């Protein structure tokens, strides 16, 4: 069966510090990978998605970046964190069999607080 | 552009009773998929149920069923025999093809003992 891991689970970082969040998927090949951010009490905002190694699409221009160095590894980074980067970051994977049936499965999330 | 509207910020239900969580959507695409996710206090998003726009029957998964009314563009989630563990945020979402799934703002469900 497929599993998705995220770490760290929680993170407190000062403004201006770098960020690296990691997501790995097991039990599937060539998944689509996604990074979402969820502000407190709000819905999900898609940040990045990737359909393959080295292929990254950005949905929201900001000081965050994403990379996919391996098939089942997705990394979210920032060189300098802002207060507004605080939130709950969720990684997800899917395997599209047919368009519009893209069921996404989520990891446990990383709660980021920028002080 | 696609849009999901969940008009109930919070809902209360007595344990063992059924509850309906509302979801309306807006899209001009004839082909789309509708999803419901559960987010307990731990934060993880759990996939519950899927309904395709061309599916003739309403989707069901255990205690979850989706009341799909295409003409009204609604996709309400029905939870039967509510349990205390059903207390969580519930999100409705739509995908019309491609890699972007649009999520609603969510409904918080409280199950009372």
């Amino acid at each position: 069966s497929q599993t998705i891991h995220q770490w760290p689970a929680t993170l407190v970082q000062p403004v201006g510090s770098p960020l690296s969040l990691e997501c790995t998927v097991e039990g599937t090949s060539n998944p689509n990978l996604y990074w979402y951010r969820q502000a407190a009490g709000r819905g999900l905002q898609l940040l990045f998605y990737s359909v393959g190694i080295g292929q990254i699409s950005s949905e929201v221009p900001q000081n965050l970046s994403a990379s996919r160095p391996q098939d089942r590894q997705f990394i979210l980074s920032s060189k300098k964190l802002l207060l507004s980067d605080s939130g709950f970051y969720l990684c997800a994977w899917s395997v599209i069999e047919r368009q519009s049936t893209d069921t996404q499965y989520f990891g446990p999330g990383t709660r980021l607080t920028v002080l | 552009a696609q849009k999901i509207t969940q008009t109930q910020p919070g809902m209360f239900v007595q344990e063992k009773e059924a509850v309906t969580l509302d979801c309306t959507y807006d899209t001009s695409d004839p082909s789309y998929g509708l999803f419901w996710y559960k987010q307990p206090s731990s934060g993880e998003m759990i996939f519950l149920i899927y309904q395709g726009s061309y599916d003739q029957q309403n989707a069901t998964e255990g205690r979850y069923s989706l009341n799909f009314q295409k003409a009204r563009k609604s996709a309400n989630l029905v939870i039967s025999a509510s349990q205390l563990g059903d207390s969580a945020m519930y999100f409705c979402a739509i995908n019309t093809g491609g890699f972007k799934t649009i999520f609603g703002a969510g409904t918080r469900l409280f199950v009372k003992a």
Side-chain angles (χ1 to χ4, degrees), chain A residues 4 32 34 36 38 41-44 46 49 51 59 88 90 94 96 98-109 111, chain B residues 31-35 37 39 41-47 50 54-55 89 91 95-101 103-106:
Chain A
I4 179 169
N32 302 307
Y34 307 81
Y36 288 88
Q38 184 180 28
R42 306 288 293 275
L44 273 66
L46 179 63
Y49 67 88
V51 301
E59 287 294 310
F88 191 55
L90 287 156
S94 71
I96 295 182
R98 178 166 57 92
Q99 293 293 341
S100 81
T101 64
D102 181 27
T103 300
Q104 296 179 23
Y105 299 94
F106 288 80
R111 198 165 301 280
Chain B
S31 176
Y32 51 89
L34 295 157
F35 307 82
Y37 287 85
Q39 187 178 41
S41 57
S42 61
E44 183 176 359
M45 295 282 285
I46 302 168
F47 167 70
Y50 164 82
Y54 294 118
D55 293 345
M89 282 288 288
F91 291 94
N95 183 294
T96 60
F99 302 96
K100 190 164 186 177
T101 297
F103 289 80

Side-chain angles (χ1 to χ4, degrees), chain A residues 14-78:
Chain A
V15 169
S17 65
L19 172 74
S20 180
L21 303 181
E22 191 163 341
C23 169
T24 59
V25 181
E26 297 176 358
T28 186
S29 296
N30 197 30
N32 302 307
L33 296 172
Y34 307 81
W35 277 113
Y36 288 88
R37 177 169 59 202
Q38 184 180 28
R42 306 288 293 275
L44 273 66
Q45 178 188 36
L46 179 63
L47 301 176
F48 301 94
Y49 67 88
S50 171
V51 301
I53 296 174
Q55 300 179 62
I56 308 295
S57 295
S58 174
E59 287 294 310
V60 182
Q62 56 205 337
N63 70 319
L64 298 173
S65 62
S67 62
R68 185 169 176 175
Q70 300 180 41
D71 181 43
R72 289 169 285 180
Q73 183 185 29
F74 205 21
I75 297 172
L76 183 69
S77 304
S78 174

Side-chain angles (χ1 to χ4, degrees), chain B residues 7-69:
Chain B
T7 57
Q8 308 153 312
M11 288 281 289
F12 287 87
V13 64
Q14 196 67 38
E15 192 179 12
K16 299 182 184 178
E17 292 184 351
V19 63
T20 298
L21 305 183
D22 295 342
C23 172
T24 58
Y25 59 93
D26 188 21
T27 181
S28 57
D29 289 288
S31 176
Y32 51 89
L34 295 157
F35 307 82
W36 276 92
Y37 287 85
K38 172 185 178 181
Q39 187 178 41
S41 57
S42 61
E44 183 176 359
M45 295 282 285
I46 302 168
F47 167 70
L48 295 178
I49 196 166
Y50 164 82
Q51 178 84 45
S53 60
Y54 294 118
D55 293 345
Q56 296 296 314
Q57 294 186 330
N58 288 340
T60 60
E61 288 287 349
R63 295 187 299 110
Y64 304 108
S65 60
L66 203 151
N67 184 0
F68 182 45
Q69 299 187 45

